[in-house]
Structures are given as structure tokens and as C-alpha cells.
Amino acid sequence: MNAESRSFRALVFVLSVGFLFVLISLRVAYLSVFAHERARAAINQQVISEEPIAHQRGRILDRSGEVIVDSRPSIDLWVDGRRVLMTGPRFSELARRYNLPISSLDEPRRLLGIAALAGSEEPVIIKHQGVPPKRGKDLPGVTYKNGEIHINPRVFPSSEGIAYRLARYLNLDDRRRSSLARAIEKSGNLERLLVTDLSEAAWHRIGAELSVGQMRGLLLREGMRRAYRYGRVAYHVLGYLNEVSEDELKKFGGALRGGELVGRVGIERHMESMLRGVDGARFVIRNSRGAVMRGQWVDEMLGDRPWIDPVKGHDVELTIDLALQQRVEKVFKHRRGAVVVIDTRNGEILALASFPRPNPNRIRHGAYNRAITHHQDKPMVNRVLAEHYAPASTFKVVTALAALESATVNSETWRYCPGKFELAGSTWACWKRQGHGSLDLVGALRHSCNVYFYKLADRMGMKPILSVAKELGLGETAGLSIGPEITGVLPTDAYCRQRKFWVDARGRKRRLSCTSGDAVNAAIGQGFVTVTPYQLALAYARIASGKRIEPRIVRRVVAQNTREVESYSDENPPKLNFKREHLDLIREGLRAVVNDPRGTAYRTFYNAAEGEGAARLRAAGIEVSGKTGTAQVRAIKRDSKGRAIAEAVYAGRDHAWFAGYAPADNPVMAVAVLVEHGGSGGRAAAPIAFEVMAAVLVPKDEG
Amino acid sequence: MNLKVDRLLLATLLGILGLALVNLQSATLHRPSAFDAQVVWLGLAMLALAVAVYVPSSVVDRLSPLAWVAVVVLLVMVLVMGTKVNGAKRWLSFGALRIQPSEFAKLGVIFLLAHTMSRSRSDGAGWSLSDLLGPLNPSRPVALVGLLIWRGERLGQGYYPLAALALVWFVLSVVALSRNGLRGRIVAPLDTILVPMVLINIEPDLGTSLVVLVCGLGVFWGAGVQMPPKRALLAVSPLPFVGGWFAWNFMLLDYQKARVLGVLNPEADAQHTGYHTIQSINAIANGGVFGRGLGAGAQAQTARLPEHHTDFIFAVLAEEWGLLGSLLALLLLFTLVLLIIDGARHTPDRFLELSGYGIASLIVFQVVVNVGMVSGIMPVVGMTLPFFSKGGSSLVSLCFAVGLMIQARSSRASGVAKRQY
């Protein structure tokens, strides 16, 4: 080997190497110098993320400032779809590629989840029938071999694997696990809230996995969780929160972000604008595992991007008395129905309860939500405002007042009750078949005699009844900020025409207006008249006070720095448009119902056992006024001897009403109680009302 | 052992190692344990360096066939009982120790080739291409049959012509053998390269198998292979195209093809193939001229750069040290190669001379392909940046190789001294 060729080879080698090094150096230099600005912008955009800082929603307080609902910090689990998807295609792609029904992938999904959890490398195999797919188009992680699709669990969707891991940490059942997997898969290019309020143990274990790069795409974030401190108590006042829907996101654009919670019913919904604060914002740099980076370089990159503090929502103070509300809900036990308590002096609603009650703390759990939504007892319906019932005998005060106002009767007018009433060939029976004999107005109210009121209605017609009902607040919504509300029904001509029609010989629809028969029915609160428990309580509160009080449930709204924002004060309501002596007569009748030995509620009040509400009221010398009502749900079937036989069937039983106020001569509170299918108003509803009255007027520790 | 160690090459090596260590530390801030392991490996590498400098090259020369066989055995063991990481079996685990035999295979090939080619043809006539390839060598058609058995189902229609080719080839080889006798042609230099290369390719590790090939070609260059006549070159000139077509359709895996396409247009598939490239290009560009500072590279520190402590470590260097840092690294590496070739050119030891070309080729190829890949002008193949990427086996074998070349330069100095006195 001569020295010359040796040098030649070395020279050529070195020159070639030099050429290559210069080439790559130039490339690097080009990037460093000319692509610099563009890359900086791209990196800033990619690396710096603006993240919301959850605001604290305003609290809901009772009238004494006791906190009923507040928010506390929670750790939430989010998924960032952009980062999960990098691990592989989705099952929908797989199904499309190999022409498989998506349901046939359920089992492979499960197996993949287990394999991913175990870190297995063994492919999951799906048998494939039919035409083999075209060559050369396999999805990443998927190979097709002779009628079998092999899926590599390391490459193919991590959503199942993640869901399996999460299920282990969160103790999820199979159904919740697969819905979690679907949520991860569906996250697309969005961030989604997966699980709120992790337990501390789950938070630490998931956090540990994330910190070593497992379960890519998941994020732990601080959020706020709504805490209903007393569980079910006052659910129908408070309402609940739920995740904002996609439609709403579209509608409200920038105001809301995905995964946020908004009020759905009750105060939470209707005072949303007050309760809602403003989210803050901060800019952070996260590494690919989701950990927030710190250090000088981070500060430099973030520059003067602002940190915006969140603004707390306003506190809402209710007129509800929490202790009373709790007492009401305890007394009502496991029946269905409603109770409303109104302060007759200023219209403040002291308690409002509908039964059964869901638990707002659990309402966002899918299974619980489905269960209560479809439950036959309809726990989600607010029976106080959004359900209407025939008022039955409790409506007789309206008829009586109408008769007085229209001068159809006066305090000296007597009517005879033979036990039945005939009009235009039809017969209406009194509840007492043998009849009440001669009665004046007070006596008629006391006995709750039907025939007496049939006769009044037959005499005066519908008009006076309607105007009195209106003056007392029936047939109208309250505009309480806890809706939805309904108006109930009054037998106006418009309503009768809508309900009563016949088709004549030419096929034309002929409508009928109200007849005297309808008025007779309405006189005793049956037929075309229904009220909500709230309306009835209001009517009795107005009778008790003699004023047109307007109830309200929100006392004031207080900003976080305890500055009052808005207060809803008593504005001295006008007097009712009734003669004073007429009202006094009605009140006397109502007092007799409870206090006259012949009254329908007398026995309930005076025979009450020691310790019961009625007994305590009695002991304190407080008299109660009120009216019982027993609303027929369906025509009572009677056996050959005329005895009712539907009693035993729950759904056929009458609704029990009691509406009244106390103390009788200087009323401070009005109460309406409805027990669905409770039977007799005097027996089922009145004791509850007395118990509630006693809770306010004779607090236990004093009496 | 009064050897005068060549300080220039040693200093260059230590400079590179120092820079690499600082950079790796910054790249593994979020996982300090990875850095600690590398420090331990660096200790082993220093030991290997000392051994290579002081143990006479003749010992390495004589042991090289054994070393090659050992490496092949290790490579087979990898396929049988290797540790799988990211779907590829490349590692052998011995307790806490995890080695990558393919890194040692590079040196094994270089040393055996240098060993073979420094001996035969000592008549000075130089190696002809047919000596190297041994085209009528029965091991080749046997290997082809092996391939058909291994990957037959991927070939489809290509199976039958290849089977026929193997048959004809085998018959011709046997005939040629019976005429010319054995004459050391059963394992031709090409087989020295091909056997480890195929084994590595099966792992699969396309990048490293290409490095093995390039190392062999480097030794060939150093040995000075006689070119065949022009007519013969013309006759085989379509072969690369046919081979390329064949490889594309039947040998490359889908993800490998996607990576080749990714270079042509990284933005087209930004979420998968092109993602790595876009991220590393951004990192380099983000560094600018002076760099973002140690531990302050947004791309590196947020780990948006994939494999940022192994294959993509250059991007970390470029982002944090800037253009000045990357040029410094490239300059040091170039100096290293220059000194190695300088040593090879002047050493009286033919084994060291040929090894030098192999080692230089190894470094150059890996540096150029790696930096090319990171800066987005070459396909993404799994290839590390010598000295800089995390990885113990690679560091140890590189230090050993450079140590040998330090010895080559050092012995030259002492040889000159001997002649003078």
C-alpha cells in the first residue's frame, strides 16, 4: 500500500465529511437565524395555555344568615382530547375501516382495557367475516391476518386503558367505566370534565400516575363543588346545578365554557345572575405530562400576561327559616305532598317543601338522576308551585266571601241543607247524607256543608267567585324566583269553552261557556277549579291579614364584601278590596272549624296527644283558624250498601288539605298543607299544619 | 508502558463528553434517575477508554473474530429473550444492567473486517469488489431462503421469483466452489456485515443496521477496494432501483414508510409522523443564536420534544445553547473525526488504520443522519447522536473505539521516537 494512495483516501474521506458537516451546520444555522421568530410564536402558542381559575359561586343563606348552600374547592379530573388521541385511532375508525358494527367492538374494548392495564403486549384478536379489506391500509396498531384483526394494546386507544385505571381508583362499576371510556374517546379536540370532586385518595393516586407520564391527556384541576349542607332539606327551593349543555354553549358563546355548572331549577337557576361570579384566568406552561412548570424561564416566556383573580358570586339570603324548614320536612315524613308557610305580616315565605325530595348532592350521578327523573312519585316536581289540585272545601271561603261581597247572603241569612241539591235534573249530594239542617254562614263553614254553598253559587253565578278568587291570588303565578310555576285553573268562560264542546250534526265544533252547574261544582272547590298549595296558602294569608300581601322568598342579595346589593323589603301592601265585616265573618267561620266542637278540625286539635303540635298550641293558649279539605280524586265507587270501596286503593284515595293561620285573632303565619291521597283533610293534613304552627309559635324548648 | 498518550484527541474527546454531560443533565431535569445512570455508564466508559489506550492493539486484533461471534450470539439472544421497549426488542437485561448489543455489534463488525482485510491480500494488490462480496458464496442463497421463510407471507407474488433466484444462485455457488476451492470465501467480508445487520433489522432497528453497513463500507474505503470495470458497473446500475422498489413494497414496515414520507412534508401529518420533526425544528429555531439558557428550553423542558434525551438530544442542545452551542458540538465532533483519520493515515498498524476508517464512518454517519433528522432534512430513523444521547452501551463502545485511535496516534509518536534513537 503506497503512501500516496493512503493520503488520497484520507483526503477524500475528510473532504466528504467536511462537506456533510457544513451541510448540516448550514441547516441548523438557517433554522436558528431565519426560522427563529416564527418558531418562538409557534412555541408560545403551543406551550402557553390560558387556564380559567374557577370562581366561587355565591352562597345561599337562610333568614338568620345560616349557610344552607356553599361552594368548596374540589379537585376535578379533566381530559384533553388533543393529547389522548395521539396514542391511536378511535374505535369508530376501526369499525369503519373493517366494516364492523360498532356494538361488536364492546368485548374487544373490554379486553384491550384489561391488556392495557396489565401492560400486556399480546394482541387482542377480532374474528372478521366477510370481504377482507384492501391491503396496505392498516390503522396504526392494527394488523389484518387471514380473517383476524390483531390489535396491539400498546398502540390502540388508551381510552379503555385509562378508563380501567380510573375505575380502579374511583371504584366505578362496569357501566360507569365504559361511559367514562366513551367520554374520553369523544373528547375530540376539547377539554372535558370527567369526574368532579375526587376523594383525596383518588386524587393522590391519579396524580402519582400522571407525574410519571401515565394516562396521557388527563389533567387534574382545581374547581369548585357545590355543597348542599343539609342534603335534601329545601331542595325544591334551592334547586341544583348541572353541566352546561352543548346547545347552551353554542347559544351563550363566550360567557360559559365547557364543563361549567349552571343552575337548573330553584334559586340556583333563577338567581343565577346573582350567584354566578366571574372566572379568573392565569397563563401557565405545562409539560407534556400536565405538570405546571416553574422557573425564571417560565416567567420570561409568560412576560406580562396578566393573572386575573376570580370574582366571587353574590350571596343570596332567603326568607326561609332553616330550623322551621327542617321541622316541616321532618314532620311530613314519607308522604307525598306539599307544605307552605307564609308570614302573614309581610309575605315572607318561611318554609316551602314538596315531597318526596331528591338529594341535590347526588343529583349529578347518572344512575341517581335517571332514577329520580323517572320515578312514579315524581320527586323532581315542585308540588308547591308546579302541581295543581282541586282545593275542595278549602275553596269554600272564596265562595262565602263572594256571596257576602255580592250581597247574596249576610250574617243573618240561614239556608237549609237536606243532604242533597238538585239543579236542572242533576243531583249533588252533601257529604253528610242526612243533611245539616239550617245553617248560617259560619255554621256552613264550620260543618263544611256542600249544599249551603251549592245554593249560594246557584244564586250568584260564577262572576263574584272569580273576582274574589283573583283578589285572593288564585289563578295567577307568584313570580317567586324559584319557579317553574303554574297558574292553576279557574272556571272562567274562556276555560270552559276550551274544555267543553260538542260536535253538531254538520260536524262543527260547538263550544259551551260555563253553566250554573259548573258554578255549583266550583263552589265547593271541585270541577273546573284547581289551585297550587302555594296559592291556597297565599289566599289564607291574605284573609288572615286583610292585606294584598305579595309573598317573596329572597330577602336580599349580599356582595362578598358584605355590601348589600339588593333587598326586597316589605312595601306596605294595600288592603284587600273586601268589607272588613265580611272578612271578620269568614275569619269567625274559620275559627269555628277548629275551635267549635262541631267543627271539622275540632277533634284533631282538641284530642291531640300530649307533645303534639296541637296540644302545645293549646297549652300556650293559642287559637288556630283554618279549613280542612278533602279533594275527590275520582268518583267514589260505592258498594250496594252505599259504602265507599275505593278507600283501600292508594291512587284512588282523596287528597287531604288543610289551610289556615295562627294565632286566630292576631295572625302571624299562614300554612297550607297538602297530603296526596292522604284521605280526610282533618285527619291527615291538619295535624301537620298544627305541628308546623307550633314549631313557630311554641318553640319546643319554651313550651 | 511508557506510552506518550496523544493529548489532542483525548482533550477533544473529553470536551465532547463534558458538553454532552451538561446537556444531558438539562434534558433529564424531570427524571434525574436517568441522568444518574448515565453518570455510572460514563465511569465504565472511562475504564473502557483506559483499556483501549493501554492494551496493545494486537490483542484487540487477535480477539476480533471471537468478539464478532460473541456479538452475533448476543444479537440472537436479544431476539430470543430481549426486553421490549416501544414495540422493539433491542435490549438485554441483566438485573439492573441493560445493554444494547447492537451498539457493540458496530465495533465487532469494524474489528473483524479490519482484522480480515489487514491480512489477506498482503501482496498489496488490493481487494477487488468480488473479493468483498463473494457473490458465488453459498451462504448468501442460504440467507435468502431464510428470509423467504421468515418474511414469506409479506412477499405475496414476489415469493416465487425470489425462491427461483435462491435456487439458481445456490447451484451456481456450489459449482463455483467446486472449481475454485474454498480459499476463505465461505465468510466473505460482506457476510461479516450482513449477519449482524440482518439480526439488528429484525429487532427492528433500521437505523442501527444501516450504521453497521456504513461502518463496513468505511473499512472497505480504508482498505482501498479496486473498482470493477465500468461495463460491470453499468450492468448492475439498475439494481439499487429494483432493490429500492422491492424494499419499499415488501420490507419496510408501515411506520418506516410513513417516516420517509414525513420528511417530504412534515406538516401533512402533524399529529403522527411529522409531529417529532416539527417539534424538533421548532426547538432548534427557538434557540436562536445564543440559546435560551441551560434548563430553560421551552420545548425541551415541557417534554413536547419526543425522545428528547435520546434521539432528539441535539434539539435540546440547539434550543438551550443556541447556534453557538450546536456549532461548537459539530466542530468538536468534526475535529474528533479529523484526528481519527489523521491517526489512521499515519499509523504503521494496518489493523488500527482500517479500524480508524470504520470508527470515523460510524461517528460521521450517525452525526449527519441524526442532526439531519432532528433538523428535518432526513427521515426519522432511530439513530442516536454519538456521545450526546443517553445510552450506556453506545457510550462505552465509542470511548473504547476512540481509545484505540488515541493508542494509534500515541504509538506513532513513540515509534518515531524509537527510530530516532
Side-chain angles (χ1 to χ4, degrees):
Chain A
M1 186 74 39
N2 57 51
E4 203 176 296
S5 78
R6 244 181 125 176
S7 307
F8 171 75
R9 283 199 302 276
L11 187 66
V12 171
F13 191 95
V14 167
L15 284 181
S16 317
V17 171
F19 173 72
L20 289 172
F21 269 68
V22 165
L23 208 67
I24 56 176
S25 301
L26 282 177
R27 169 68 177 171
V28 172
Y30 165 79
L31 290 179
S32 304
V33 176
F34 295 106
H36 179 58
E37 287 307 319
R38 210 178 57 128
R40 290 221 76 172
I43 287 173
N44 278 356
Q45 202 213 350
Q46 184 184 12
V47 169
I48 299 176
S49 51
E50 182 183 348
E51 293 184 357
I53 309 171
H55 71 264
Q56 193 166 358
R57 196 175 167 88
R59 299 174 300 171
I60 303 178
L61 316 169
D62 93 328
R63 60 185 299 122
S64 58
E66 179 83 27
V67 177
I68 312 177
V69 187
D70 63 355
S71 297
R72 57 177 171 75
S74 70
I75 299 293
D76 302 337
L77 185 65
W78 290 68
V79 59
D80 180 351
R82 286 161 295 199
R83 306 220 334 271
V84 175
L85 281 187
M86 282 185 48
T87 52
R90 303 178 217 184
F91 281 98
S92 53
E93 285 178 56
L94 184 73
R96 214 177 315 126
R97 170 73 182 89
Y98 294 103
N99 224 345
L100 298 166
I102 192 92
S103 60
S104 72
L105 292 175
D106 286 348
E107 181 62 10
R109 253 173 209 268
R110 202 177 65 80
L111 294 174
L112 275 171
I114 295 168
L117 186 64
S120 160
E121 302 261 340
E122 285 298 307
V124 170
I125 296 168
I126 306 174
K127 291 262 185 293
H128 183 258
Q129 279 106 17
V131 190
K134 265 194 199 161
R135 254 199 76 84
K137 265 178 157 186
D138 283 342
L139 297 167
V142 184
T143 43
Y144 182 84
K145 280 181 196 163
N146 321 322
E148 287 179 342
I149 301 166
H150 292 236
I151 307 177
N152 177 354
R154 287 195 68 96
V155 182
F156 213 76
S158 54
S159 57
E160 287 295 320
I162 292 174
Y164 261 88
R165 271 172 205 266
L166 290 180
R168 198 169 48 168
Y169 296 147
L170 304 171
N171 294 325
L172 304 181
D173 57 16
D174 279 7
R175 208 175 59 186
R176 285 206 62 203
R177 193 204 59 236
S178 58
S179 77
L180 202 61
R182 272 196 302 279
I184 296 171
E185 213 174 298
K186 271 198 301 192
S187 55
N189 286 324
L190 293 172
E191 290 184 356
R192 267 176 91 108
L193 180 61
L194 285 184
V195 185
T196 50
D197 200 33
L198 299 178
S199 70
E200 201 163 326
W203 166 30
H204 286 309
R205 294 174 72 179
I206 293 172
E209 289 238 1
L210 294 180
S211 72
V212 295
Q214 296 289 332
M215 303 200 286
R216 271 182 76 112
L218 295 191
L219 293 172
L220 288 174
R221 279 206 185 136
E222 285 168 35
M224 285 286 169
R225 172 172 167 85
R226 202 69 166 152
Y228 299 87
R229 291 197 180 177
Y230 298 92
R232 296 168 195 270
V233 170
Y235 164 83
H236 286 103
V237 175
L238 304 172
Y240 70 101
L241 303 177
N242 212 346
E243 224 167 292
V244 61
S245 73
E246 270 170 40
D247 288 346
E248 287 166 319
L249 271 183
K250 267 179 218 149
K251 209 160 132 198
F252 299 114
L256 297 169
R257 63 192 155 79
E260 247 192 319
L261 301 177
V262 292
R264 285 310 181 198
V265 290
I267 291 288
E268 294 277 28
R269 172 177 183 164
H270 292 271
M271 299 301 277
E272 173 82 25
S273 59
M274 295 292 181
L275 290 166
R276 166 172 289 275
V278 183
D279 277 344
R282 60 171 187 171
F283 291 88
V284 294
I285 294 180
R286 284 180 185 274
N287 68 13
S288 60
R289 290 165 183 179
V292 175
M293 308 295 294
R294 300 192 196 290
Q296 205 196 336
W297 67 274
V298 174
D299 299 338
E300 273 167 25
M301 272 190 82
L302 294 179
D304 53 359
R305 287 183 172 80
W307 172 299
I308 303 162
D309 284 323
V311 181
K312 270 190 196 171
H314 298 329
D315 290 345
V316 170
E317 202 177 290
L318 303 178
T319 60
I320 295 288
D321 178 335
L322 181 64
L324 178 65
Q325 178 82 24
Q326 283 176 301
R327 181 78 192 137
V328 164
E329 300 194 17
K330 191 160 172 233
V331 166
F332 204 86
K333 302 208 183 89
H334 297 293
R335 285 171 282 206
R336 284 161 44 178
V339 178
V340 202
V341 183
I342 297 176
D343 189 324
T344 53
R345 294 163 299 186
N346 50 24
E348 287 181 348
I349 294 180
L350 301 176
L352 187 156
S354 165
F355 305 88
R357 314 152 294 160
N359 185 341
N361 286 323
R362 294 181 60 199
I363 221 157
R364 295 192 54 243
H365 293 269
Y368 184 74
N369 200 331
R370 271 190 298 279
I372 56 174
T373 307
H374 302 296
H375 195 279
Q376 56 172 0
D377 285 351
K378 298 195 274 182
M380 302 287 267
V381 173
N382 185 347
R383 288 171 161 78
V384 176
L385 291 166
E387 195 69 278
H388 56 144
Y389 307 87
S393 305
T394 58
F395 192 75
K396 284 172 184 164
V397 290
V398 178
T399 315
L401 202 47
L404 289 169
E405 287 289 311
S406 62
T408 312
V409 290
N410 56 40
S411 55
E412 269 99 63
T413 317
W414 291 74
R415 289 278 189 280
Y416 181 74
C417 166
K420 61 183 181 184
F421 174 73
E422 281 174 32
L423 178 72
S426 301
T427 306
W428 281 265
C430 190
W431 63 268
K432 195 174 178 186
R433 313 220 87 199
Q434 53 274 57
H436 289 97
S438 276
L439 293 166
D440 66 351
L441 186 69
V442 171
L445 280 173
R446 183 180 64 215
H447 284 298
S448 201
C449 171
N450 290 354
V451 172
Y452 183 92
F453 292 99
Y454 293 148
K455 286 183 172 170
L456 295 191
D458 182 34
R459 191 77 167 279
M460 67 186 164
M462 205 67 241
K463 265 215 178 99
I465 296 181
L466 286 175
S467 76
V468 167
K470 206 169 172 233
E471 183 76 3
L472 291 177
L474 303 182
E476 282 169 9
T477 54
L480 288 181
S481 41
I482 57 173
E485 296 180 19
I486 57 171
T487 57
V489 172
L490 286 178
T492 56
D493 266 350
Y495 184 79
C496 288
R497 284 169 179 280
Q498 190 187 322
R499 289 293 298 272
K500 295 170 59 169
F501 55 83
W502 52 284
V503 180
D504 68 11
R506 292 190 189 167
R508 283 179 305 192
K509 221 176 205 183
R510 290 299 178 98
R511 294 180 181 278
L512 296 173
S513 45
C514 290
T515 59
S516 51
D518 293 321
V520 165
N521 255 337
I524 61 153
Q526 302 276 5
F528 292 149
V529 50
T530 61
V531 299
T532 63
Y534 159 79
Q535 287 170 337
L536 203 62
L538 173 61
Y540 276 74
R542 284 185 175 174
I543 289 170
S545 67
K547 290 180 192 158
R548 246 188 105 96
I549 53 170
E550 295 289 346
R552 59 179 189 278
I553 200 159
V554 176
R555 246 182 148 194
R556 49 189 195 132
V557 175
V558 184
Q560 52 160 323
N561 49 8
T562 64
R563 232 183 31 230
E564 196 157 292
V565 171
E566 208 166 325
S567 126
Y568 306 85
S569 65
D570 183 15
E571 52 207 34
N572 205 16
K575 284 207 153 43
L576 282 174
N577 197 13
F578 301 132
K579 279 203 180 122
R580 199 187 153 80
E581 55 268 32
H582 292 165
L583 275 176
D584 285 341
L585 203 60
I586 298 294
R587 288 177 190 144
E588 200 191 322
L590 292 177
R591 183 203 291 257
V593 169
V594 183
N595 298 295
D596 187 305
R598 292 164 293 177
T600 52
Y602 176 82
R603 265 193 290 169
T604 311
F605 192 72
Y606 283 91
N607 293 349
E610 192 65 29
E612 279 179 29
R616 279 159 52 216
L617 287 168
R618 234 164 45 221
I622 296 170
E623 279 192 329
V624 173
S625 298
K627 181 80 196 73
T628 58
T630 305
Q632 245 174 268
V633 171
R634 56 176 72 152
I636 297 173
K637 288 182 191 142
R638 291 173 192 280
D639 60 17
S640 52
K641 291 173 187 162
R643 289 180 305 215
I645 55 171
E647 274 302 295
V649 185
Y650 176 76
R653 264 163 41 192
D654 300 337
H655 293 323
W657 277 107
F658 184 88
Y661 53 88
D665 37 354
N666 183 25
V668 298
M669 59 181 293
V671 180
V673 175
L674 166 79
V675 182
E676 279 187 15
H677 306 299
S680 147
R683 276 197 300 271
I688 296 170
F690 298 151
E691 207 68 53
V692 172
M693 288 166 172
V696 175
L697 302 171
V698 200
K700 235 179 192 166
D701 43 349
E702 292 165 39
Chain B
M1 249 200 264
N2 59 1
L3 196 68
K4 196 162 175 248
V5 173
D6 178 64
R7 296 227 180 105
L8 198 53
L9 184 48
L10 183 64
T12 310
L13 175 67
L14 293 180
I16 290 172
L17 290 176
L19 183 57
L21 199 65
V22 175
N23 186 47
L24 188 70
Q25 206 251 334
S26 177
T28 52
L29 280 179
H30 62 284
R31 232 177 70 192
S33 64
F35 178 71
D36 297 344
Q38 187 72 0
V39 171
V40 173
W41 276 109
L42 188 62
L44 289 174
M46 288 296 106
L47 207 65
L49 178 69
V51 169
V53 172
Y54 289 111
V55 171
S57 61
S58 56
V59 175
V60 181
D61 188 2
R62 249 177 285 140
L63 288 178
S64 58
L66 195 63
W68 186 84
V69 171
V71 161
V72 169
V73 169
L74 282 178
L75 286 175
V76 173
M77 279 170 67
V78 166
L79 293 181
V80 176
M81 46 179 278
T83 308
K84 229 176 196 182
V85 176
N86 294 332
K89 271 190 186 177
R90 296 175 187 173
W91 289 268
L92 275 180
S93 297
F94 303 101
L97 189 72
R98 203 157 74 165
I99 64 165
Q100 195 175 353
S102 55
E103 291 295 335
F104 299 115
K106 298 171 188 170
L107 287 194
V109 168
I110 291 172
F111 291 151
L112 182 58
L113 279 181
H115 172 86
T116 321
M117 299 181 75
S118 60
R119 273 174 185 68
S120 339
R121 293 280 173 158
S122 50
D123 53 352
W127 286 67
S128 74
L129 207 55
S130 95
D131 289 330
L132 292 178
L133 305 181
L136 294 181
N137 173 330
S139 63
R140 229 58 52 73
V142 168
L144 183 55
V145 169
L147 180 76
L148 290 178
I149 292 168
W150 172 53
R151 278 267 162 97
E153 89 283 355
R154 283 180 64 87
L155 293 175
Q157 302 253 317
Y159 187 89
Y160 300 101
L162 278 180
L165 176 67
L167 186 69
V168 172
W169 198 353
F170 186 74
V171 171
L172 286 177
S173 313
V174 172
V175 171
L177 265 188
S178 61
R179 274 204 199 143
N180 302 335
L182 289 169
R183 273 195 14 213
R185 283 189 177 192
I186 290 178
V187 178
L190 186 62
D191 296 307
T192 310
I193 305 172
L194 224 48
V195 172
M197 197 180 150
V198 168
L199 289 173
I200 293 170
N201 202 12
I202 294 173
E203 285 178 357
D205 188 348
L206 181 65
T208 308
S209 72
L210 287 178
V211 175
V212 168
L213 178 66
V214 170
C215 289
L217 295 179
V219 177
F220 290 174
W221 177 262
V225 177
Q226 283 179 343
M227 283 294 134
K230 272 183 187 157
R231 260 180 305 152
L233 279 182
L234 268 180
V236 298
S237 58
L239 267 181
F241 299 101
V242 175
W245 172 84
F246 188 80
W248 182 264
N249 283 295
F250 301 112
M251 288 176 70
L252 287 183
L253 299 176
D254 284 341
Y255 78 90
Q256 291 168 331
K257 286 191 224 174
R259 284 175 183 180
V260 175
L261 294 175
V263 175
L264 300 178
N265 185 8
E267 313 276 341
D269 190 12
Q271 280 304 305
H272 294 101
T273 319
Y275 175 79
H276 293 201
T277 314
I278 289 173
Q279 297 299 343
S280 66
I281 287 177
N282 275 344
I284 296 173
N286 188 33
V289 176
F290 300 103
R292 306 248 61 85
L294 213 56
Q299 289 284 88
Q301 299 304 330
T302 59
R304 274 179 178 73
L305 213 72
E307 302 292 330
H308 62 280
H309 51 282
T310 56
D311 289 4
F312 283 80
I313 190 106
F314 184 78
V316 177
L317 183 85
E319 187 179 26
E320 299 195 343
W321 296 65
L323 178 60
L324 297 181
S326 14
L327 288 185
L328 175 67
L330 288 175
L331 195 67
L332 281 170
L333 287 166
F334 183 62
T335 311
L336 189 80
V337 171
L338 217 58
L339 292 174
I340 289 172
I341 294 299
D342 179 59
R345 184 165 107 75
H346 290 107
T347 182
D349 187 333
R350 180 99 173 121
F351 171 75
L352 282 183
E353 182 196 353
L354 299 191
S355 297
Y357 276 96
I359 293 161
S361 307
L362 184 160
I363 296 172
V364 169
F365 184 68
Q366 288 202 193
V367 169
V368 170
V369 172
N370 179 277
V371 176
M373 153 184 113
V374 173
S375 62
I377 50 176
M378 282 185 197
V380 176
V381 289
M383 191 161 311
T384 56
L385 186 64
F387 305 107
F388 285 86
S389 294
K390 185 188 164 300
S393 308
S394 157
L395 191 64
V396 168
S397 60
L398 280 166
C399 283
F400 184 82
V402 175
L404 269 186
M405 296 319 292
I406 291 176
Q407 189 191 124
R409 292 171 62 83
S410 310
S411 60
R412 173 168 66 94
S414 55
V416 170
K418 250 179 222 162
R419 226 170 285 159
Q420 275 180 348
Y421 301 102

